[in-house]
């Protein structure tokens, strides 16, 4: 797989798929009212593609197209967007979720940018049969637990390890000559981490449209203010669902509990805030809703293996 030196202008949402039949690596230049930037595409192995879409000042509704007979895994690393399926189901992506889509035929989605500005999406597109081959070797039952049903979508939590793995693919710290090998290794690492997730212990739940809307609203409400999240009683009242049902269905649908969802979102935001040297560690802790900085330090070190102070020092030294 060569570096993506071939360049083309993007004219439609299906350009990348047409070019993938002819090239193993290429870039598409976006210059549209909805966003300007670059899309990079790499064939990492037979039946496995990596796409990154990096736009500045994205806004409005972007075209999105998902190929048929493949699993598409999509995550936002910067920005917030909402992918709307033709059937009307909508999935908000903002850095803490991975959308898994399995379509029988190529399908056009509507991609609504919820916050104008930087837009960075990473997608892995793979033939499900690829997961039945080494190094994964999944069985049919394994695939049923991992993949949504045909013509359906499923959201999974994107924990910090998975998030960092995707970040490494977007900003690979290697010589360009080693890029193909690096991306192949990172994609395998990502899939192995994902397949080892405790979330994948049962088939994807079938959720009624009304409950799906309520559970999406519950997540948005929970993460709207990380410093002052709503109590369970408030959240239950706001979305019109009993507390016990909310806790159970939230875990089934989102793949994690309410508290784990909030915890992971706080840690991802902590990484971003620690990049601003003007903010003290105590101020970062306060902005994330930690009553004491020591509690923040303990939670951060448990997740990243470094204290916030040491993490900040390492980031300063990074190339």
């Amino acid at each position: 797989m060569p570096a993506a030196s071939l360049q083309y202008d993007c004219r439609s949402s299906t350009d990348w798929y047409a070019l993938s039949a002819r090239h193993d690596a290429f870039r598409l230049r976006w210059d549209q009212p909805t966003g300007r930037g670059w899309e990079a595409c790499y064939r990492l192995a037979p039946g496995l593609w990596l796409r990154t879409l990096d736009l500045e000042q994205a806004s409005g509704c972007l075209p999105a197209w998902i190929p048929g007979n493949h699993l598409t895994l999509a995550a936002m690393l910067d920005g917030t967007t909402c992918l709307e399926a033709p059937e009307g189901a909508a999935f908000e992506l903002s850095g803490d979720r991975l959308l898994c889509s399995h379509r029988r035929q190529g399908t056009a989605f509507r991609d609504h940018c919820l916050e104008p500005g930087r837009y960075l999406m990473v997608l892995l597109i793979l033939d499900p049969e690829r997961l039945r081959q080494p190094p994964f070797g999944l069985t049919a039952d394994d695939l049923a637990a991992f993949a949504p049903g045909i013509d359906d979508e499923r959201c999974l939590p994107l924990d910090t390890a998975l998030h960092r793995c995707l970040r490494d693919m977007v900003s690979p710290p290697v010589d360009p000559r080693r890029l193909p090998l690096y991306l192949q290794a990172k994609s395998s690492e990502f899939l192995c981490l994902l397949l080892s997730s405790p979330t994948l212990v049962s088939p994807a739940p079938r959720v009624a449209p009304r409950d799906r809307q309520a559970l999406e609203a519950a997540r948005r409400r929970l993460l709207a203010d990380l410093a002052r999240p709503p109590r369970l009683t408030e959240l239950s009242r706001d979305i019109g669902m009993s507390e016990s049902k909310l806790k159970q269905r939230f875990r089934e649908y989102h793949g994690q509990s309410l508290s784990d969802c909030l915890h992971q979102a706080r840690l991802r935001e902590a990484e971003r805030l620690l990049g601003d040297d003007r903010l003290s560690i105590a101020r970062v802790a306060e902005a994330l809703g930690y009553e004491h900085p020591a509690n923040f330090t303990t939670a951060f070190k448990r997740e990243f293996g470094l204290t916030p102070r040491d993490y900040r020092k390492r980031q300063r030294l990074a190339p």
Side-chain angles (χ1 to χ4, degrees), residues 63-90:
W65 192 79
I66 290 179
N69 296 318
H70 284 72
L71 283 174
T72 296
L73 311 178
M76 289 293 291
L77 299 187
D78 283 304
T80 302
T81 194
C82 183
L83 285 171
E84 182 182 347
E87 300 82 7

Side-chain angles (χ1 to χ4, degrees), residues 116-305:
R118 177 81 184 280
Y119 174 109
L120 178 55
M121 179 181 280
V122 181
L123 304 99
L124 281 173
I125 299 150
L126 63 156
D127 182 340
E129 287 301 311
R130 176 72 182 164
L131 295 174
R132 304 190 71 166
Q133 302 170 10
F136 310 109
L138 298 191
T139 66
D141 289 341
D142 293 330
L143 280 172
F146 168 68
I150 296 292
D151 292 336
D152 199 4
E153 280 70 42
R154 179 187 190 186
C155 280
L156 298 171
L158 192 68
D159 63 25
T160 51
L162 290 169
H163 196 274
R164 285 198 301 272
C165 194
L166 291 178
R167 281 280 181 195
D168 289 342
M169 291 190 213
V170 173
S171 303
V174 296
D175 186 295
R177 294 172 298 175
R178 306 288 181 258
L179 182 61
L181 180 61
Y182 181 83
L183 291 179
Q184 289 167 357
K186 275 294 175 180
S187 66
S188 293
E189 178 188 350
F190 179 84
L191 290 171
C192 286
L193 285 171
L194 180 63
L195 295 170
S196 301
S197 169
T199 301
L200 302 178
V201 295
S202 60
R206 305 296 296 183
V207 180
R210 182 176 179 179
D211 280 354
R212 187 195 296 265
Q213 293 173 4
L215 293 167
E216 289 285 341
R219 178 184 165 277
R220 287 194 298 271
R221 175 79 172 84
L222 177 68
L223 304 182
D225 186 349
L226 296 178
R228 290 173 292 276
R231 296 181 180 275
L232 177 60
T233 52
E234 298 174 61
L235 196 56
S236 171
R237 183 184 65 246
D238 289 349
I239 68 167
M241 188 179 289
S242 71
E243 293 182 21
S244 58
K245 182 179 179 181
L246 172 58
K247 289 194 294 184
Q248 177 185 348
R249 298 310 300 272
F250 191 96
R251 181 186 289 275
E252 291 174 349
Y253 179 70
H254 291 295
Q256 58 187 167
S257 67
L258 288 157
S259 59
D260 285 344
C261 180
L262 179 62
H263 176 69
Q264 289 291 326
R266 281 172 163 166
L267 291 176
R268 275 186 299 276
E269 180 66 3
E271 286 191 281
R272 188 185 71 82
L273 293 177
L274 288 170
D276 186 346
D277 289 339
R278 296 171 299 177
L279 297 176
S280 67
I281 302 299
R283 181 68 186 89
V284 171
E286 180 185 358
L288 297 174
Y290 289 92
E291 187 174 353
H292 301 292
N295 294 342
F296 167 57
T297 296
T298 299
F300 192 91
K301 186 174 182 180
R302 184 182 299 119
E303 183 70 25
F304 296 100

